[in-house]
Structures are given as C-alpha cells and as structure tokens.
Amino acid sequence: MTTEASRGHFSSRIGFIMAAAGSAVGLGNVWGFPTKVAENGGAAFILMYLAMVFVLAFPMLVAELTIGRYGQGNPVTSLRRVWRNNRFAPIVFGALALLAASLILSFYSIVAGWLVAFAAEPLATAVGADGLAAWLTEFSQPRNVIMTLLFSLMTIWVVSKGVADGIEKWSTRLMPILFVLFAGMIIYILMQEGAMDGLRVYLVPDFSHLNGRLIVDAMGQAFFSLSLGVGSMMVYGSYLKKDINLPKVATQVAIIDTSVAFAAGLLIIPAMFVAKHNGVEIFNAAGELISSGDLVFQVLPSMFHTMGSSGPVIAVVFFVLMVIAALTSSISILEVPVACAQDELGMSRQASSWLIGLLIAVASVVICLNFGALFGLVIDISTVYMQPLLGIIWAVVVGWVWHRNELLKELQQGNPEIADGWFWKIWPWYVRFICPVAIVAVMFVSIS
Ligand code: PFF
C-alpha cells in the first residue's frame, strides 16, 4: 500500500484549482453546453443550468472532494475509511466508479482523437498533402483507431509523470492557454457578419422550451461538466493539503467551469450563425438545429473554409483548444484507476499508468471497430446510468453513513469557523435529502 507521505500532492492551491478546473472544463463545456443551449431555448437553458449547478452539482462537488481528502485515496480506499463497518460496499461501489471512469475515458478518447485529426487537417492541407487531409476528416476505422491511440498516449504520458510534475504542471500550463485562445476566438467571431443573430439566440430566453426534458438535460449537463460521480474529484481531493478550504476551492472550480461553458456558447453559437451567413446549412429540413456531432465536425469546418486565408489558422486554433480541454479532463479520468492500482496494489505510477491506460485504449479500439453497436451504448451506460447512480452513492455516504462530527472536523481543517457559517447549516441537509432525491428524479425522467 502507498503510505500517505509517499502519495503525490498538488504543490499549490492554484495548481489544484487549475487541475480540477481542467478536469471540469472539457468536451462537456466546449461542445455539449453550447449545443444544448441552442437546442433548448437559449438563455432559458442557461438559467436552468445555473440553478442546477448551484442546487445539485456544487454540493456534490464539495462532497466528493471531502470524501477524497479525508480518505486520502482513490474511491475504494477512501470509501473504506469512511464506511468502516461495511467490508463489501467500498469495494463494490469503488469498483463501480473505476469501471465508470474507464468507460467514460474509452469514448472520450475517441471523440478527442477526432479533434486531433481536425486540428491536423489544415496543416496537412497547407503542405499540399491533400490525401492525408481528406483521410483526417473522413470517418474511417483506421483514422478513428490511430487518432484515438494518439490521444490515449498523450493522456497516459501526462498521468505517468505524476501529480505535481504531470497533472498539475500540464493543467497549469494548458488552462491559461485555453482561456487566452478562447478570448481571442470570441472577439474574432463576434466581429464577423451574422454573429449578432447568434448572440440573440444565445442570450434571449425562450421560455416556451421550459419543460421536464430541459430540466433533466440541465442537471445531467451540470453533473457531467463538474466531473462528478466517477471519482475524479475524489482522487484530486485526496491530493489536496489539509489546510485548504474545501467549499471555497469548490466554489472557484464551479465558477471557472460555468464561465468557460458560458464563454464556449459565446463562441460556438455566434460561429454557427456566421456559418449560416456564409451559406453553410445549420438547420435541418425540419428546422431544427443540426445535431451536436455534425455541428463541430461539419458546420464549423465548413465555416472555416469560407473564411479565406485566415480560415485554416482559426481552424487549427479552434481544434487545438478543444484538444487541450479534452486532455486536461482525460488525465483526471485515467487518474482514478491509476490511483487505485497504486494505493491498493502497490504498483508504481509508471507501470499502472501504462498498463491501465493501454487497457482502456484497447477498449477504445474495440469501440472503434464496432462503432455503430458500441459507441452510443457506452456513452449511455456510463453517463446516463452509472454517473448519476454513483452520485447517489456519494450523497448517501456523506449524508447518511459518515458521522456528522467527523465530517465537520474534516471541513474545519481548512476553515476553522465553518460551523458558524451558513454553509454548514445548509449543505449537510442538502446532501442528505435534496441531492439523492434530485438525482433519482433525473434518472427516472431520463430513462423513462
Ligand atoms: N467534465 C468533463 C467535461 O465537461 O468534458 C468530463 C468528465 C471529466 C466527466 C472527468 C467525468 C470525469 F470524471
């Protein structure tokens, strides 16, 4: 077993915030959020999403970080320390979290692989390798497999470097680049013809869309976006020093994640209307917005092609931005099983990162080779069923299993006055009653 002293730690508070925000900010923000907004009545969805982050996701984020820091380990180890009188539950639920993390990573790497391909395409075109450029953007098994493996190798390489030298260092480098690229892209897009129509769709609420489905979508999106359920935040919490104020850092991470999601909408939705202005179709025959996958991989590239000489540069910047967002998330997902192999089996970080990373890469390849049957299925199993189910388990652990005084003691370490504030008066009840009931409701509506 790894001792506490030999476990990695984030070297600074800002390093942790960048890593956790890096985990949270991913394809869910730059791709999922904007398209859900566009499909669900613009700002009506944004308002519901904000409510869900505040009511459901933020309390769960604090819960997961707290379990991780208290338990000083991956989901199995941490649960065992909290749930002392039950031998089996920690293993069963911890293993479920590892499985969910592995499944999420297996499809996430495929999508991220496409993004790598689309980032490389303008470069291939620029050097006259037209055959390669076409291969990169056309859907094919060899392209999917090679690009997925390429992205998997990047993820494994960062994770194998460790907590401070790999995850923290790369998140702290990549996240500011992401913010700057984002800001530059937004300014550029908003200056293009047609952008204001998109801005109107994004920011003017259409409350006629407000229904059960919108609420469910907003909850699911908030849950996925804050990387909840599968143990990423728990493991990151376990690398946090004890003098850190958990609710405060959770607030900062949630604010960054939500701001980036909002900024992504400011970029993508006006970009769609710029594309429309340039003659690219963004609505299908039924007048509905083209679906999210096609949006990123067809609408936006067509828009870049209409932009003259600056188009290829903008395209590379855009897709590099997406790859960065995906990489800082994928490392947080691979870290879950890797931390478990280290804590539970005493494996070295190098060995566990490569072994588990490659095993998950093999799973990705299997999905690529059986794409029609497996891709959607794996996404559904991991995000629609397993993630919320695990969320319920963590809420029950914090709200019902864990002794209130011990919970308070853990939170007091970084915030001695917490017992007197409003947070401690509300949060334990929230996690005990509201969160499990709300998640069950989401699952019920989304499955039925
Ligand atoms: N939060 C990431 C996103 O929005 O793309 C996805 C994610 C990362 C989900 C880590 C789950 C996880 F454990």
Side-chain angles (χ1 to χ4, degrees), residues 23-29 104 108 224-228 230-232 257 329 332-333 387:
S23 168
V25 173
L27 302 179
N29 302 60
I104 290 184
Y108 210 78
F224 187 77
S225 193
L226 279 179
S227 306
L228 296 173
V230 303
S232 285
D257 185 59
S329 297
S332 77
I333 312 179
Q387 247 190 317

Side-chain angles (χ1 to χ4, degrees), residues 3 12 65 133 157 184 188 208 252 260 273-274 328 333 348 399 410 429 441 443:
T3 62
S12 64
L65 289 173
W157 184 77
Y188 179 83
S208 68
Q252 288 161 334
V260 174
F273 283 81
V274 173
T328 52
I333 312 179
S348 74
E410 183 57 42
W429 297 103
M443 276 187 83

Side-chain angles (χ1 to χ4, degrees), residues 58-377:
F58 168 71
M60 288 305 299
L61 177 60
V62 180
E64 283 200 30
L65 289 173
T66 314
I67 298 178
R69 194 178 65 173
Y70 174 84
Q72 286 291 299
N74 66 86
V76 177
T77 317
S78 292
L79 270 191
R80 203 180 278 133
R81 295 201 177 137
V82 176
W83 212 330
R84 279 184 226 121
N85 54 4
N86 193 320
R87 279 178 55 200
F88 296 108
I91 296 180
V92 172
F93 296 129
L96 210 59
L98 301 190
L99 182 66
S102 307
L103 288 177
I104 290 184
L105 185 56
S106 65
F107 79 74
Y108 210 78
S109 300
I110 297 175
V111 181
W114 296 335
L115 297 169
V116 175
F118 274 77
E121 183 268 335
L123 303 175
T125 305
V127 297
D130 291 343
L132 176 64
W135 181 82
L136 284 166
T137 50
E138 273 159 23
F139 190 94
S140 73
Q141 270 186 5
R143 192 271 319 243
N144 291 353
V145 169
I146 291 172
M147 290 298 141
T148 300
L149 290 177
L150 205 64
F151 183 80
S152 304
L153 289 179
M154 292 191 225
T155 306
I156 296 172
W157 184 77
V158 175
V159 172
S160 73
K161 295 271 164 212
V163 180
D165 281 344
I167 295 170
E168 179 176 351
K169 191 158 112 189
W170 282 98
S171 302
T172 318
R173 277 180 189 171
L174 293 177
M175 289 305 284
I177 299 178
L178 184 107
F179 298 149
V180 172
L181 288 182
F182 242 123
M185 286 282 288
I186 291 170
I187 293 169
Y188 179 83
I189 289 291
L190 288 182
M191 283 169 11
Q192 305 299 304
E193 296 268 342
M196 288 308 135
D197 292 340
L199 209 56
R200 216 164 296 125
V201 167
Y202 188 48
L203 295 178
V204 177
D206 173 1
F207 287 111
S208 68
H209 282 76
L210 206 61
N211 55 27
R213 189 80 242 164
L214 182 142
I215 298 173
V216 170
D217 273 0
M219 273 201 199
Q221 177 65 26
F223 218 74
F224 187 77
S225 193
L226 279 179
S227 306
L228 296 173
V230 303
S232 285
M233 288 301 181
M234 209 176 280
V235 176
Y236 275 15
S238 77
Y239 301 137
L240 258 181
K241 299 205 170 116
K242 291 283 185 185
D243 59 358
I244 298 286
N245 180 343
L246 290 174
K248 188 168 163 197
V249 290
T251 308
Q252 288 161 334
V253 170
I255 288 175
I256 295 177
D257 185 59
T258 308
S259 310
V260 174
F262 183 74
L266 278 184
L267 172 64
I268 304 260
I269 301 198
M272 283 162 47
F273 283 81
V274 173
K276 182 170 172 250
H277 180 83
N278 292 349
V280 179
E281 295 224 356
I282 63 168
F283 294 103
N284 64 19
E288 292 156 349
L289 201 67
I290 284 179
S291 71
S292 54
D294 293 346
L295 185 76
V296 172
F297 295 111
Q298 282 174 22
V299 173
L300 294 178
S302 337
M303 178 189 74
F304 298 137
H305 281 139
T306 63
M307 285 182 160
S309 56
S310 58
V313 180
I314 306 281
V316 174
V317 173
F318 175 80
F319 283 108
V320 165
L321 192 127
M322 302 277 261
V323 172
I324 293 175
L327 185 63
T328 52
S329 297
S330 63
I331 55 181
S332 77
I333 312 179
L334 180 58
E335 183 61 17
V336 179
V338 165
C340 185
Q342 280 185 284
D343 294 338
E344 293 289 314
L345 308 175
M347 281 173 77
S348 74
R349 172 167 284 274
Q350 280 281 335
S352 53
S353 310
W354 284 98
L355 183 72
I356 297 168
L358 288 176
L359 275 176
I360 296 174
V362 169
S364 303
V365 171
V366 172
I367 298 174
C368 287
L369 298 181
N370 300 281
F371 193 83
L374 292 182
F375 184 69
L377 184 70

